[in-house]
Amino acid sequence: DSKASIEEVQWTDDSIRWEGGLHIKTSDNESDKESSDDEDYMVDPFKDPDPFELFSFQFERPDDKEKSIDIQIRGYKTDADEVWQSTGLTLWRASDYLCQYQMDNLQTLFQNKRILELGAGLGLNGILAWRSCTGDSTSSSEVCITDGDSDALVHLRGNVERNRPTTESGAGDDGVGKVSCHQLIWGKQSSEHFLSHIANDQTYDVILASDIIYSAVIIEPLWETIETLLRRPKDGEEGGVFVMAYARRKDVPVSIELVLDAAVESGFVYELVKEDDEDGIWVYTFRFSEESGAK
């Protein structure tokens, strides 16, 4: 990864879900260390001795039925204790549903595009976007996969390496599809910093996200991030698109209506493009409205 870097901070998403706000832990004093040491000595006799799971996927390319995209994602089981601290350490059902939409719209969404995934967790959707383009000599796509959670980033980077294509000789092959992983904590200031230091002041054609809504406090910083990083319409060219998969969950006190209303207030128009009412999963696309896109 030849891009500039931003110093990463220790942050896990439980600070949002349990404390109700965006808190970044930068302290490294002795009391923090003592508390951590005490926790290390606590043993749970009921803890799963093997909390990890390898999730395997095979996606059939619509443009070439004889070729498939095989992806392996390593993370924690959904009921693992670690998931209580960092939701991104496992896979959730909306990510698989978004994959279906990605494959159905492979050519229009991902070919020769700059693609960003937000709240990627283990990285399934971003890795699929990258692998969809890799090996296509006509593609110049570039994929940036992000998460704010520092624990999830460790697993995300491992999954990218696990799914990196290899040549017959076994050497690594980036192909034409470039991929990178970075920490991105949502909000206007952090997104502007990300745009200048990581994205080289180039906004994105496509932004992906799945199962990212679990607290009302993240809605405003989410749309600040989209507004900063999504490409705006210019000189008659259509702007970028934000594709989000949302799954209804009983333990999440945030309705999709709240998210959609905030999108409109932030200057976006939206469209429901895929739905499964029985399972409670929906995929929406968001674009700048004519008024806001002209800013």
Side-chain angles (χ1 to χ4, degrees):
D1 187 353
S2 61
K3 293 182 179 179
S5 62
I6 296 177
E7 183 178 355
E8 295 180 357
V9 298
Q10 182 66 32
W11 183 83
T12 53
D13 66 30
D14 61 332
S15 62
I16 291 176
R17 289 177 290 116
W18 307 127
E19 298 172 24
L22 282 165
H23 300 289
I24 301 173
K25 180 181 179 183
T26 56
S27 172
D28 192 28
N29 57 41
E30 291 301 319
S31 62
D32 289 338
K33 292 179 180 178
E34 290 173 5
S35 175
S36 177
D37 290 342
D38 290 342
E39 292 176 0
D40 288 342
Y41 286 105
M42 297 176 63
V43 178
D44 182 0
F46 302 104
K47 185 178 177 65
D48 188 342
D50 182 19
F52 294 100
E53 184 170 351
L54 190 65
F55 304 89
S56 297
F57 300 87
Q58 184 175 75
F59 300 98
E60 186 179 87
R61 295 186 65 102
D63 54 346
D64 190 342
K65 300 295 185 181
E66 295 183 0
K67 292 184 179 179
S68 63
I69 301 171
D70 298 317
I71 294 177
Q72 287 194 327
I73 301 292
R74 185 177 187 270
Y76 284 90
K77 299 173 183 176
T78 305
D79 58 355
D81 292 343
E82 288 79 2
V83 175
W84 285 95
Q85 177 169 308
S86 301
T87 57
L89 295 181
T90 192
L91 286 180
W92 302 96
R93 57 199 178 107
S95 61
D96 191 15
Y97 195 67
L98 180 56
C99 284
Q100 299 174 32
Y101 181 78
Q102 290 179 235
M103 297 308 295
D104 290 341
N105 297 271
L106 192 61
Q107 295 295 327
T108 55
L109 270 184
F110 303 114
Q111 295 303 314
N112 305 311
K113 300 291 177 63
R114 284 174 52 79
I115 303 159
L116 174 71
E117 184 180 9
L118 300 179
L122 298 177
L124 175 60
N125 299 116
I127 290 172
L128 177 59
W130 164 51
R131 289 295 311 276
S132 299
C133 305
T134 301
D136 182 349
S137 60
T138 65
S139 176
S140 59
S141 297
E142 184 175 340
V143 180
C144 181
I145 311 176
T146 68
D147 203 290
D149 190 296
S150 46
D151 290 351
L153 277 169
V154 174
H155 296 272
L156 169 58
R157 287 174 172 140
N159 283 323
V160 167
E161 292 307 312
R162 179 172 287 103
N163 290 281
R164 191 175 293 279
T166 57
T167 61
E168 291 182 0
S169 62
D173 176 23
D174 289 339
V176 291
K178 299 177 181 178
V179 66
S180 61
C181 299
H182 297 279
Q183 185 178 47
L184 175 56
I185 298 174
W186 304 341
K188 182 176 176 58
Q189 184 176 354
S190 56
S191 297
E192 290 175 344
H193 195 61
F194 183 92
L195 181 63
S196 60
H197 287 76
I198 298 299
N200 298 322
D201 291 316
Q202 298 180 58
T203 49
Y204 291 88
D205 303 304
V206 179
I207 299 180
L208 298 172
S210 64
D211 263 319
I212 57 169
I213 306 297
Y214 43 80
S215 173
V217 74
I218 69 174
I219 295 177
E220 182 178 352
L222 168 64
W223 291 114
E224 289 176 346
T225 301
I226 300 298
E227 189 174 2
T228 302
L229 297 178
L230 187 65
R231 181 171 56 83
R232 291 178 180 271
K234 185 178 181 181
D235 299 329
E237 292 186 2
E238 190 175 38
V241 58
F242 171 43
V243 185
M244 184 188 75
Y246 174 92
R248 181 179 58 228
R249 295 208 299 268
K250 293 180 179 179
D251 58 335
V252 175
V254 183
S255 68
I256 187 60
E257 288 76 20
L258 189 62
V259 179
L260 299 177
D261 289 345
V264 173
E265 291 176 7
S266 298
F268 294 91
V269 294
Y270 63 85
E271 180 182 0
L272 176 62
V273 293
K274 188 176 178 64
E275 60 183 318
D276 186 332
D277 286 331
E278 185 175 345
D279 285 343
I281 311 178
W282 301 270
V283 177
Y284 288 88
T285 57
F286 301 85
R287 299 180 185 274
F288 285 108
S289 64
E290 292 185 8
E291 297 79 9
S292 63
K295 292 181 181 179

